[in-house]
Amino acid sequence: MAWDILITNIKGLAQVRDSTLTVLSGSAMADLPVIEEAFLAISDGKIADYGEMQSLPNVTADRVIDAKGRFVFPSFVDSHTHLIFAASREEEFVMKIKGASYAEIAASGGGILNSAQKLQHMSEDELFERSLARAQEIIKSGTGAVEIKSGYGLTVADELKMLRIARRIGEETPLKVKTTFLGAHAVPKSHTKSEYIQLVVKEMIPAVAEEKLADYIDVFCEEGFFNTDETELICEEGKKYGMKPRLHANQLHRSGGVQVGVKVNAISVDHLENIGKEEIEALKRGNTIPTALPGAAFFLNLPFPPARDIINAGLPLAIASDYNPGSSPSGNMSLMVALACIKMRMTPEEAFNAATINTAAAMEILETHGSITRGKTANVCITMPIPTLAYLPYSFGSQLVGQVIINGRLIN
Ligand code: NIG
Ligand code: FE
């Protein structure tokens, strides 16, 4: 027997868990198990063994990486992105700097409709190439699994085009990809809202299901977009076709998104910039995973989700990037962890748990991803030499993920 890769002299091997692991809630989020002076062995794309250096078995390896002074942790799992888009939107960025709100930009034909127009005019191959570059960028920054949404198509053909590209990203990169149909992201100018909802329900959902293009269904439940009744209707239709709901909820207003998410048994409700006691009580009644997207709150200057209230209520909390051109033009999960610590008062341990285990649970891939566990997919980050793991969010904006292994293969 020989291992494919053996990492030795690891300063701290973080997030070591056994296979009984489930989503982490409340005070359990504070604990991040670390083996100091550790080794990690990889074989056939899986985590084969790990432990203290002094108990390293006498097994040869094709490649040995000396991680002296460096930490190793499981790749980030990013459970909320819109990384398929045609073009960036810096013109709106400047409008925002000059005082326009997200809602004002959207109402003036910017926002999601702006991205949709650009995407509709782009060929599938060109859109794939641009999206592939973003996928490669997030791999280098330490993401090993990602959820990708449609929602900039807003026609049957263009929504399918986006989801086909999302599936292709999963086939042509080492990323583990789950896909989400977000036809109900905005109402295009060509339709009234009720006409567009009919299109989503009667044509888009069946067409997406026919090609098996989406694992989940999402709705932008928000004032000026889709209300709670419309959200519920669309989710229930998606469920009939095997797509579980996950929602954009409470980003700009207390729109009832969280409550409807719990009602339709959504896997997650994401954003949560505008929640209070009622939403937290609703979450306690269900199994829906609250997910904060600190990049979007940061970029739009919104209040940050009340992480302490959520965790103190005994709930789980996940952290994802929301990588998209309008509200979070970054898919860098180290930065999201830093923002969670700095702006949401999460400890580094809580933030790492939120961005690995809890996002893996929110993507229903915890059996294979999110922790250092024997038999799980060998997706790991090796940091630059750093004094402590807390240094990673502390030194925000630095690229401290040095090397990345995905599916047991060294990427860089
Ligand atoms: O998650 N809020 C809705 N959707 C995205 C932003 C979309 C856009 O502005 O392009 C979000 O923030
Ligand atoms: Fe989003």
Side-chain angles (χ1 to χ4, degrees), residues 80 82 89 92 96 102 110-113 115 149 152 182 185 220 222 225 248 251-252 270-271 273 293 296 300 322 324-328:
H80 182 138
H82 309 245
R89 301 204 319 243
E92 292 176 16
K96 261 180 234 127
Y102 183 81
I112 296 163
L113 296 184
S115 279
K149 299 176 197 295
Y152 293 130
L182 175 57
H185 198 192
F220 188 16
E222 183 56 63
F225 291 84
H248 279 74
Q251 180 183 17
L252 307 174
D270 302 12
H271 272 295
E273 285 87 342
L293 309 172
L300 298 182
D322 198 18
N324 79 76
S327 67
S328 185

PDB file of all heavy atoms in Angstrom, residues 80 82 89 92 96 102 110-113 115 149 152 182 185 220 222 225 248 251-252 270-271 273 293 296 300 322 324-328, ligand 1:
ATOM      1  N   HIS A  80     -23.876  29.390  -1.515  1.00  0.00           N
ATOM      2  CA  HIS A  80     -24.756  30.385  -2.168  1.00  0.00           C
ATOM      3  C   HIS A  80     -23.915  31.246  -3.110  1.00  0.00           C
ATOM      4  O   HIS A  80     -23.172  32.118  -2.662  1.00  0.00           O
ATOM      5  CB  HIS A  80     -25.433  31.254  -1.099  1.00  0.00           C
ATOM      6  CG  HIS A  80     -26.402  32.271  -1.623  1.00  0.00           C
ATOM      7  ND1 HIS A  80     -27.619  32.528  -1.036  1.00  0.00           N
ATOM      8  CD2 HIS A  80     -26.343  33.126  -2.682  1.00  0.00           C
ATOM      9  CE1 HIS A  80     -28.264  33.471  -1.693  1.00  0.00           C
ATOM     10  NE2 HIS A  80     -27.495  33.859  -2.714  1.00  0.00           N
ATOM     11  N   HIS A  82     -23.913  33.093  -7.350  1.00  0.00           N
ATOM     12  CA  HIS A  82     -24.501  33.350  -8.675  1.00  0.00           C
ATOM     13  C   HIS A  82     -23.311  33.530  -9.623  1.00  0.00           C
ATOM     14  O   HIS A  82     -23.172  34.572 -10.245  1.00  0.00           O
ATOM     15  CB  HIS A  82     -25.314  34.645  -8.682  1.00  0.00           C
ATOM     16  CG  HIS A  82     -26.330  34.797  -7.583  1.00  0.00           C
ATOM     17  ND1 HIS A  82     -27.686  34.857  -7.836  1.00  0.00           N
ATOM     18  CD2 HIS A  82     -26.209  34.946  -6.232  1.00  0.00           C
ATOM     19  CE1 HIS A  82     -28.343  35.045  -6.682  1.00  0.00           C
ATOM     20  NE2 HIS A  82     -27.479  35.102  -5.709  1.00  0.00           N
ATOM     21  N   ARG A  89     -20.559  44.855 -12.976  1.00  0.00           N
ATOM     22  CA  ARG A  89     -21.468  46.015 -12.975  1.00  0.00           C
ATOM     23  C   ARG A  89     -20.867  47.183 -12.171  1.00  0.00           C
ATOM     24  O   ARG A  89     -21.502  47.720 -11.271  1.00  0.00           O
ATOM     25  CB  ARG A  89     -22.838  45.602 -12.387  1.00  0.00           C
ATOM     26  CG  ARG A  89     -23.520  44.486 -13.146  1.00  0.00           C
ATOM     27  CD  ARG A  89     -25.022  44.393 -13.022  1.00  0.00           C
ATOM     28  NE  ARG A  89     -25.616  44.607 -11.762  1.00  0.00           N
ATOM     29  CZ  ARG A  89     -26.317  43.699 -11.047  1.00  0.00           C
ATOM     30  NH1 ARG A  89     -26.481  42.469 -11.518  1.00  0.00           N
ATOM     31  NH2 ARG A  89     -26.867  44.030  -9.911  1.00  0.00           N
ATOM     32  N   GLU A  92     -22.871  50.486 -11.626  1.00  0.00           N
ATOM     33  CA  GLU A  92     -23.796  50.572 -10.482  1.00  0.00           C
ATOM     34  C   GLU A  92     -23.049  50.792  -9.169  1.00  0.00           C
ATOM     35  O   GLU A  92     -23.562  51.439  -8.248  1.00  0.00           O
ATOM     36  CB  GLU A  92     -24.608  49.289 -10.366  1.00  0.00           C
ATOM     37  CG  GLU A  92     -25.559  49.116 -11.512  1.00  0.00           C
ATOM     38  CD  GLU A  92     -26.273  47.785 -11.414  1.00  0.00           C
ATOM     39  OE1 GLU A  92     -26.264  47.151 -10.341  1.00  0.00           O
ATOM     40  OE2 GLU A  92     -26.840  47.387 -12.436  1.00  0.00           O
ATOM     41  N   LYS A  96     -23.880  53.608  -6.544  1.00  0.00           N
ATOM     42  CA  LYS A  96     -24.065  53.335  -5.104  1.00  0.00           C
ATOM     43  C   LYS A  96     -23.183  54.249  -4.263  1.00  0.00           C
ATOM     44  O   LYS A  96     -23.612  54.790  -3.240  1.00  0.00           O
ATOM     45  CB  LYS A  96     -23.701  51.883  -4.802  1.00  0.00           C
ATOM     46  CG  LYS A  96     -24.884  50.961  -4.704  1.00  0.00           C
ATOM     47  CD  LYS A  96     -24.412  49.548  -4.414  1.00  0.00           C
ATOM     48  CE  LYS A  96     -24.979  48.604  -5.430  1.00  0.00           C
ATOM     49  NZ  LYS A  96     -24.052  47.756  -6.132  1.00  0.00           N
ATOM     50  N   TYR A 102     -29.766  49.961  -3.497  1.00  0.00           N
ATOM     51  CA  TYR A 102     -29.914  48.757  -4.324  1.00  0.00           C
ATOM     52  C   TYR A 102     -31.287  48.755  -4.994  1.00  0.00           C
ATOM     53  O   TYR A 102     -31.411  48.486  -6.190  1.00  0.00           O
ATOM     54  CB  TYR A 102     -29.738  47.513  -3.444  1.00  0.00           C
ATOM     55  CG  TYR A 102     -29.791  46.202  -4.194  1.00  0.00           C
ATOM     56  CD1 TYR A 102     -28.685  45.727  -4.880  1.00  0.00           C
ATOM     57  CD2 TYR A 102     -30.956  45.435  -4.219  1.00  0.00           C
ATOM     58  CE1 TYR A 102     -28.731  44.531  -5.565  1.00  0.00           C
ATOM     59  CE2 TYR A 102     -31.018  44.233  -4.903  1.00  0.00           C
ATOM     60  CZ  TYR A 102     -29.899  43.776  -5.577  1.00  0.00           C
ATOM     61  OH  TYR A 102     -29.958  42.591  -6.263  1.00  0.00           O
ATOM     62  N   GLY A 110     -31.478  48.826 -13.710  1.00  0.00           N
ATOM     63  CA  GLY A 110     -30.159  48.249 -13.430  1.00  0.00           C
ATOM     64  C   GLY A 110     -30.352  46.913 -12.741  1.00  0.00           C
ATOM     65  O   GLY A 110     -31.343  46.221 -12.954  1.00  0.00           O
ATOM     66  N   GLY A 111     -29.432  46.561 -11.912  1.00  0.00           N
ATOM     67  CA  GLY A 111     -29.593  45.376 -11.087  1.00  0.00           C
ATOM     68  C   GLY A 111     -29.707  44.089 -11.886  1.00  0.00           C
ATOM     69  O   GLY A 111     -29.030  43.890 -12.897  1.00  0.00           O
ATOM     70  N   ILE A 112     -30.587  43.230 -11.428  1.00  0.00           N
ATOM     71  CA  ILE A 112     -30.726  41.897 -12.008  1.00  0.00           C
ATOM     72  C   ILE A 112     -31.118  41.981 -13.485  1.00  0.00           C
ATOM     73  O   ILE A 112     -30.617  41.217 -14.317  1.00  0.00           O
ATOM     74  CB  ILE A 112     -31.759  41.095 -11.187  1.00  0.00           C
ATOM     75  CG1 ILE A 112     -31.242  40.895  -9.751  1.00  0.00           C
ATOM     76  CG2 ILE A 112     -32.068  39.750 -11.846  1.00  0.00           C
ATOM     77  CD1 ILE A 112     -32.303  40.496  -8.736  1.00  0.00           C
ATOM     78  N   LEU A 113     -31.996  42.929 -13.840  1.00  0.00           N
ATOM     79  CA  LEU A 113     -32.433  43.039 -15.241  1.00  0.00           C
ATOM     80  C   LEU A 113     -31.277  43.453 -16.157  1.00  0.00           C
ATOM     81  O   LEU A 113     -31.194  43.010 -17.308  1.00  0.00           O
ATOM     82  CB  LEU A 113     -33.594  44.033 -15.371  1.00  0.00           C
ATOM     83  CG  LEU A 113     -34.883  43.642 -14.645  1.00  0.00           C
ATOM     84  CD1 LEU A 113     -35.988  44.661 -14.936  1.00  0.00           C
ATOM     85  CD2 LEU A 113     -35.347  42.234 -15.024  1.00  0.00           C
ATOM     86  N   SER A 115     -28.119  42.571 -15.641  1.00  0.00           N
ATOM     87  CA  SER A 115     -27.341  41.334 -15.840  1.00  0.00           C
ATOM     88  C   SER A 115     -28.059  40.383 -16.790  1.00  0.00           C
ATOM     89  O   SER A 115     -27.420  39.690 -17.586  1.00  0.00           O
ATOM     90  CB  SER A 115     -27.106  40.619 -14.503  1.00  0.00           C
ATOM     91  OG  SER A 115     -26.030  41.223 -13.818  1.00  0.00           O
ATOM     92  N   LYS A 149     -26.464  29.269  -8.792  1.00  0.00           N
ATOM     93  CA  LYS A 149     -27.862  29.540  -9.133  1.00  0.00           C
ATOM     94  C   LYS A 149     -28.012  30.051 -10.558  1.00  0.00           C
ATOM     95  O   LYS A 149     -27.109  30.714 -11.077  1.00  0.00           O
ATOM     96  CB  LYS A 149     -28.426  30.638  -8.218  1.00  0.00           C
ATOM     97  CG  LYS A 149     -28.415  30.258  -6.749  1.00  0.00           C
ATOM     98  CD  LYS A 149     -28.896  31.424  -5.878  1.00  0.00           C
ATOM     99  CE  LYS A 149     -28.512  31.225  -4.434  1.00  0.00           C
ATOM    100  NZ  LYS A 149     -29.145  30.087  -3.785  1.00  0.00           N
ATOM    101  N   TYR A 152     -30.275  34.906 -13.927  1.00  0.00           N
ATOM    102  CA  TYR A 152     -29.992  36.040 -14.805  1.00  0.00           C
ATOM    103  C   TYR A 152     -30.422  35.706 -16.239  1.00  0.00           C
ATOM    104  O   TYR A 152     -30.024  36.384 -17.183  1.00  0.00           O
ATOM    105  CB  TYR A 152     -28.496  36.387 -14.792  1.00  0.00           C
ATOM    106  CG  TYR A 152     -27.977  36.931 -13.483  1.00  0.00           C
ATOM    107  CD1 TYR A 152     -26.839  36.392 -12.890  1.00  0.00           C
ATOM    108  CD2 TYR A 152     -28.609  38.009 -12.854  1.00  0.00           C
ATOM    109  CE1 TYR A 152     -26.347  36.898 -11.696  1.00  0.00           C
ATOM    110  CE2 TYR A 152     -28.127  38.514 -11.658  1.00  0.00           C
ATOM    111  CZ  TYR A 152     -27.002  37.954 -11.083  1.00  0.00           C
ATOM    112  OH  TYR A 152     -26.515  38.457  -9.897  1.00  0.00           O
ATOM    113  N   LEU A 182     -33.321  29.594 -10.093  1.00  0.00           N
ATOM    114  CA  LEU A 182     -33.799  30.859  -9.505  1.00  0.00           C
ATOM    115  C   LEU A 182     -34.483  31.697 -10.587  1.00  0.00           C
ATOM    116  O   LEU A 182     -34.164  32.858 -10.791  1.00  0.00           O
ATOM    117  CB  LEU A 182     -32.612  31.596  -8.842  1.00  0.00           C
ATOM    118  CG  LEU A 182     -32.810  32.987  -8.261  1.00  0.00           C
ATOM    119  CD1 LEU A 182     -33.902  33.039  -7.194  1.00  0.00           C
ATOM    120  CD2 LEU A 182     -31.509  33.532  -7.680  1.00  0.00           C
ATOM    121  N   HIS A 185     -36.200  35.444  -9.807  1.00  0.00           N
ATOM    122  CA  HIS A 185     -35.186  36.358  -9.265  1.00  0.00           C
ATOM    123  C   HIS A 185     -35.637  37.806  -9.463  1.00  0.00           C
ATOM    124  O   HIS A 185     -35.386  38.668  -8.642  1.00  0.00           O
ATOM    125  CB  HIS A 185     -33.854  36.096  -9.989  1.00  0.00           C
ATOM    126  CG  HIS A 185     -32.634  36.619  -9.305  1.00  0.00           C
ATOM    127  ND1 HIS A 185     -31.405  36.675  -9.928  1.00  0.00           N
ATOM    128  CD2 HIS A 185     -32.436  37.106  -8.060  1.00  0.00           C
ATOM    129  CE1 HIS A 185     -30.510  37.184  -9.081  1.00  0.00           C
ATOM    130  NE2 HIS A 185     -31.109  37.451  -7.947  1.00  0.00           N
ATOM    131  N   PHE A 220     -36.413  35.044  -4.912  1.00  0.00           N
ATOM    132  CA  PHE A 220     -36.008  36.292  -4.249  1.00  0.00           C
ATOM    133  C   PHE A 220     -37.251  36.859  -3.583  1.00  0.00           C
ATOM    134  O   PHE A 220     -38.036  37.576  -4.190  1.00  0.00           O
ATOM    135  CB  PHE A 220     -35.426  37.258  -5.289  1.00  0.00           C
ATOM    136  CG  PHE A 220     -34.791  38.500  -4.718  1.00  0.00           C
ATOM    137  CD1 PHE A 220     -34.440  38.611  -3.374  1.00  0.00           C
ATOM    138  CD2 PHE A 220     -34.508  39.585  -5.548  1.00  0.00           C
ATOM    139  CE1 PHE A 220     -33.841  39.756  -2.866  1.00  0.00           C
ATOM    140  CE2 PHE A 220     -33.914  40.740  -5.055  1.00  0.00           C
ATOM    141  CZ  PHE A 220     -33.577  40.821  -3.713  1.00  0.00           C
ATOM    142  N   GLU A 222     -38.877  39.284  -1.556  1.00  0.00           N
ATOM    143  CA  GLU A 222     -38.469  40.640  -1.174  1.00  0.00           C
ATOM    144  C   GLU A 222     -39.484  41.642  -1.687  1.00  0.00           C
ATOM    145  O   GLU A 222     -40.079  41.429  -2.755  1.00  0.00           O
ATOM    146  CB  GLU A 222     -37.081  40.913  -1.800  1.00  0.00           C
ATOM    147  CG  GLU A 222     -36.451  42.252  -1.466  1.00  0.00           C
ATOM    148  CD  GLU A 222     -36.319  42.486   0.027  1.00  0.00           C
ATOM    149  OE1 GLU A 222     -35.581  41.727   0.695  1.00  0.00           O
ATOM    150  OE2 GLU A 222     -36.974  43.425   0.519  1.00  0.00           O
ATOM    151  N   PHE A 225     -40.133  42.401  -5.438  1.00  0.00           N
ATOM    152  CA  PHE A 225     -39.755  41.218  -6.210  1.00  0.00           C
ATOM    153  C   PHE A 225     -40.869  40.176  -6.060  1.00  0.00           C
ATOM    154  O   PHE A 225     -41.883  40.298  -6.718  1.00  0.00           O
ATOM    155  CB  PHE A 225     -38.365  40.732  -5.769  1.00  0.00           C
ATOM    156  CG  PHE A 225     -37.273  41.706  -6.174  1.00  0.00           C
ATOM    157  CD1 PHE A 225     -36.968  42.814  -5.384  1.00  0.00           C
ATOM    158  CD2 PHE A 225     -36.572  41.542  -7.363  1.00  0.00           C
ATOM    159  CE1 PHE A 225     -35.999  43.732  -5.769  1.00  0.00           C
ATOM    160  CE2 PHE A 225     -35.594  42.450  -7.765  1.00  0.00           C
ATOM    161  CZ  PHE A 225     -35.309  43.552  -6.964  1.00  0.00           C
ATOM    162  N   HIS A 248     -33.843  33.336  -0.916  1.00  0.00           N
ATOM    163  CA  HIS A 248     -33.316  34.659  -0.601  1.00  0.00           C
ATOM    164  C   HIS A 248     -34.348  35.313   0.317  1.00  0.00           C
ATOM    165  O   HIS A 248     -35.464  35.616  -0.120  1.00  0.00           O
ATOM    166  CB  HIS A 248     -33.185  35.496  -1.867  1.00  0.00           C
ATOM    167  CG  HIS A 248     -31.954  35.204  -2.672  1.00  0.00           C
ATOM    168  ND1 HIS A 248     -31.809  34.072  -3.431  1.00  0.00           N
ATOM    169  CD2 HIS A 248     -30.806  35.921  -2.812  1.00  0.00           C
ATOM    170  CE1 HIS A 248     -30.628  34.107  -4.009  1.00  0.00           C
ATOM    171  NE2 HIS A 248     -29.997  35.214  -3.663  1.00  0.00           N
ATOM    172  N   GLN A 251     -33.418  40.214   2.936  1.00  0.00           N
ATOM    173  CA  GLN A 251     -32.209  40.987   2.605  1.00  0.00           C
ATOM    174  C   GLN A 251     -32.443  42.489   2.837  1.00  0.00           C
ATOM    175  O   GLN A 251     -31.667  43.139   3.509  1.00  0.00           O
ATOM    176  CB  GLN A 251     -31.791  40.752   1.150  1.00  0.00           C
ATOM    177  CG  GLN A 251     -30.531  41.541   0.764  1.00  0.00           C
ATOM    178  CD  GLN A 251     -30.115  41.386  -0.684  1.00  0.00           C
ATOM    179  OE1 GLN A 251     -30.910  40.953  -1.526  1.00  0.00           O
ATOM    180  NE2 GLN A 251     -28.878  41.716  -0.990  1.00  0.00           N
ATOM    181  N   LEU A 252     -33.537  42.998   2.250  1.00  0.00           N
ATOM    182  CA  LEU A 252     -33.758  44.457   2.297  1.00  0.00           C
ATOM    183  C   LEU A 252     -34.869  44.844   3.275  1.00  0.00           C
ATOM    184  O   LEU A 252     -34.894  45.968   3.761  1.00  0.00           O
ATOM    185  CB  LEU A 252     -34.082  44.976   0.891  1.00  0.00           C
ATOM    186  CG  LEU A 252     -33.061  44.591  -0.207  1.00  0.00           C
ATOM    187  CD1 LEU A 252     -33.553  45.026  -1.586  1.00  0.00           C
ATOM    188  CD2 LEU A 252     -31.690  45.207   0.081  1.00  0.00           C
ATOM    189  N   ASP A 270     -31.375  32.469   3.208  1.00  0.00           N
ATOM    190  CA  ASP A 270     -30.095  33.153   3.065  1.00  0.00           C
ATOM    191  C   ASP A 270     -30.276  34.665   2.996  1.00  0.00           C
ATOM    192  O   ASP A 270     -31.269  35.150   2.432  1.00  0.00           O
ATOM    193  CB  ASP A 270     -29.398  32.675   1.788  1.00  0.00           C
ATOM    194  CG  ASP A 270     -29.159  31.170   1.746  1.00  0.00           C
ATOM    195  OD1 ASP A 270     -29.727  30.443   2.587  1.00  0.00           O
ATOM    196  OD2 ASP A 270     -28.424  30.715   0.856  1.00  0.00           O
ATOM    197  N   HIS A 271     -29.296  35.389   3.525  1.00  0.00           N
ATOM    198  CA  HIS A 271     -29.202  36.848   3.651  1.00  0.00           C
ATOM    199  C   HIS A 271     -29.455  37.255   5.101  1.00  0.00           C
ATOM    200  O   HIS A 271     -28.540  37.479   5.844  1.00  0.00           O
ATOM    201  CB  HIS A 271     -30.149  37.628   2.712  1.00  0.00           C
ATOM    202  CG  HIS A 271     -29.547  37.897   1.379  1.00  0.00           C
ATOM    203  ND1 HIS A 271     -28.462  38.699   1.213  1.00  0.00           N
ATOM    204  CD2 HIS A 271     -29.866  37.436   0.142  1.00  0.00           C
ATOM    205  CE1 HIS A 271     -28.136  38.739  -0.070  1.00  0.00           C
ATOM    206  NE2 HIS A 271     -28.959  37.977  -0.750  1.00  0.00           N
ATOM    207  N   GLU A 273     -30.328  39.982   6.607  1.00  0.00           N
ATOM    208  CA  GLU A 273     -29.892  41.284   7.130  1.00  0.00           C
ATOM    209  C   GLU A 273     -30.992  41.931   7.974  1.00  0.00           C
ATOM    210  O   GLU A 273     -30.704  42.725   8.880  1.00  0.00           O
ATOM    211  CB  GLU A 273     -29.525  42.228   5.973  1.00  0.00           C
ATOM    212  CG  GLU A 273     -28.191  41.926   5.282  1.00  0.00           C
ATOM    213  CD  GLU A 273     -28.320  40.917   4.160  1.00  0.00           C
ATOM    214  OE1 GLU A 273     -29.337  40.182   4.095  1.00  0.00           O
ATOM    215  OE2 GLU A 273     -27.390  40.843   3.332  1.00  0.00           O
ATOM    216  N   LEU A 293     -24.710  36.094   4.426  1.00  0.00           N
ATOM    217  CA  LEU A 293     -23.897  36.365   3.241  1.00  0.00           C
ATOM    218  C   LEU A 293     -23.176  37.695   3.503  1.00  0.00           C
ATOM    219  O   LEU A 293     -23.597  38.749   3.020  1.00  0.00           O
ATOM    220  CB  LEU A 293     -24.802  36.448   2.003  1.00  0.00           C
ATOM    221  CG  LEU A 293     -25.766  35.270   1.824  1.00  0.00           C
ATOM    222  CD1 LEU A 293     -26.751  35.533   0.689  1.00  0.00           C
ATOM    223  CD2 LEU A 293     -25.009  33.968   1.559  1.00  0.00           C
ATOM    224  N   ALA A 296     -22.367  40.465   0.839  1.00  0.00           N
ATOM    225  CA  ALA A 296     -23.451  41.293   0.306  1.00  0.00           C
ATOM    226  C   ALA A 296     -23.801  42.418   1.287  1.00  0.00           C
ATOM    227  O   ALA A 296     -24.011  43.566   0.885  1.00  0.00           O
ATOM    228  CB  ALA A 296     -24.674  40.432   0.007  1.00  0.00           C
ATOM    229  N   LEU A 300     -23.188  46.283   0.090  1.00  0.00           N
ATOM    230  CA  LEU A 300     -24.365  47.164  -0.006  1.00  0.00           C
ATOM    231  C   LEU A 300     -24.542  48.059   1.218  1.00  0.00           C
ATOM    232  O   LEU A 300     -25.526  48.790   1.311  1.00  0.00           O
ATOM    233  CB  LEU A 300     -25.639  46.333  -0.217  1.00  0.00           C
ATOM    234  CG  LEU A 300     -25.719  45.488  -1.491  1.00  0.00           C
ATOM    235  CD1 LEU A 300     -27.062  44.775  -1.574  1.00  0.00           C
ATOM    236  CD2 LEU A 300     -25.499  46.332  -2.744  1.00  0.00           C
ATOM    237  N   ASP A 322     -22.290  34.495  -1.705  1.00  0.00           N
ATOM    238  CA  ASP A 322     -23.242  35.201  -2.577  1.00  0.00           C
ATOM    239  C   ASP A 322     -22.552  35.780  -3.814  1.00  0.00           C
ATOM    240  O   ASP A 322     -23.046  36.754  -4.401  1.00  0.00           O
ATOM    241  CB  ASP A 322     -23.982  36.305  -1.808  1.00  0.00           C
ATOM    242  CG  ASP A 322     -25.254  36.774  -2.518  1.00  0.00           C
ATOM    243  OD1 ASP A 322     -25.745  36.053  -3.390  1.00  0.00           O
ATOM    244  OD2 ASP A 322     -25.741  37.880  -2.192  1.00  0.00           O
ATOM    245  N   ASN A 324     -21.696  37.388  -6.831  1.00  0.00           N
ATOM    246  CA  ASN A 324     -22.550  37.873  -7.924  1.00  0.00           C
ATOM    247  C   ASN A 324     -22.119  39.286  -8.299  1.00  0.00           C
ATOM    248  O   ASN A 324     -21.431  39.957  -7.521  1.00  0.00           O
ATOM    249  CB  ASN A 324     -24.039  37.821  -7.496  1.00  0.00           C
ATOM    250  CG  ASN A 324     -24.441  38.984  -6.612  1.00  0.00           C
ATOM    251  OD1 ASN A 324     -24.619  40.105  -7.089  1.00  0.00           O
ATOM    252  ND2 ASN A 324     -24.574  38.736  -5.310  1.00  0.00           N
ATOM    253  N   PRO A 325     -22.515  39.754  -9.493  1.00  0.00           N
ATOM    254  CA  PRO A 325     -21.983  41.038  -9.958  1.00  0.00           C
ATOM    255  C   PRO A 325     -22.639  42.262  -9.308  1.00  0.00           C
ATOM    256  O   PRO A 325     -22.099  43.369  -9.408  1.00  0.00           O
ATOM    257  CB  PRO A 325     -22.297  41.022 -11.460  1.00  0.00           C
ATOM    258  CG  PRO A 325     -23.506  40.150 -11.568  1.00  0.00           C
ATOM    259  CD  PRO A 325     -23.329  39.088 -10.517  1.00  0.00           C
ATOM    260  N   GLY A 326     -23.787  42.071  -8.650  1.00  0.00           N
ATOM    261  CA  GLY A 326     -24.524  43.232  -8.154  1.00  0.00           C
ATOM    262  C   GLY A 326     -24.346  43.520  -6.682  1.00  0.00           C
ATOM    263  O   GLY A 326     -24.352  44.682  -6.262  1.00  0.00           O
ATOM    264  N   SER A 327     -24.206  42.473  -5.866  1.00  0.00           N
ATOM    265  CA  SER A 327     -24.184  42.747  -4.433  1.00  0.00           C
ATOM    266  C   SER A 327     -23.021  42.096  -3.691  1.00  0.00           C
ATOM    267  O   SER A 327     -22.833  42.377  -2.500  1.00  0.00           O
ATOM    268  CB  SER A 327     -25.504  42.318  -3.783  1.00  0.00           C
ATOM    269  OG  SER A 327     -25.639  40.928  -3.824  1.00  0.00           O
ATOM    270  N   SER A 328     -22.242  41.247  -4.375  1.00  0.00           N
ATOM    271  CA  SER A 328     -21.069  40.656  -3.710  1.00  0.00           C
ATOM    272  C   SER A 328     -20.091  40.148  -4.766  1.00  0.00           C
ATOM    273  O   SER A 328     -20.046  38.948  -5.044  1.00  0.00           O
ATOM    274  CB  SER A 328     -21.496  39.506  -2.779  1.00  0.00           C
ATOM    275  OG  SER A 328     -20.380  39.032  -2.061  1.00  0.00           O
TER     276      SER A 328
HETATM  277  O1  NIG B   1     -28.184  37.559  -3.512  1.00  0.00           O
HETATM  278  N1  NIG B   1     -30.704  39.576  -3.868  1.00  0.00           N
HETATM  279  C1  NIG B   1     -30.859  38.984  -4.920  1.00  0.00           C
HETATM  280  N2  NIG B   1     -29.916  38.417  -5.637  1.00  0.00           N
HETATM  281  C2  NIG B   1     -28.525  38.687  -5.499  1.00  0.00           C
HETATM  282  C3  NIG B   1     -28.091  39.933  -6.165  1.00  0.00           C
HETATM  283  C4  NIG B   1     -28.434  39.945  -7.547  1.00  0.00           C
HETATM  284  C5  NIG B   1     -27.908  41.085  -8.333  1.00  0.00           C
HETATM  285  O2  NIG B   1     -27.929  42.253  -7.871  1.00  0.00           O
HETATM  286  O3  NIG B   1     -27.444  40.806  -9.437  1.00  0.00           O
HETATM  287  C6  NIG B   1     -28.121  38.647  -4.056  1.00  0.00           C
HETATM  288  O4  NIG B   1     -27.715  39.647  -3.448  1.00  0.00           O
END
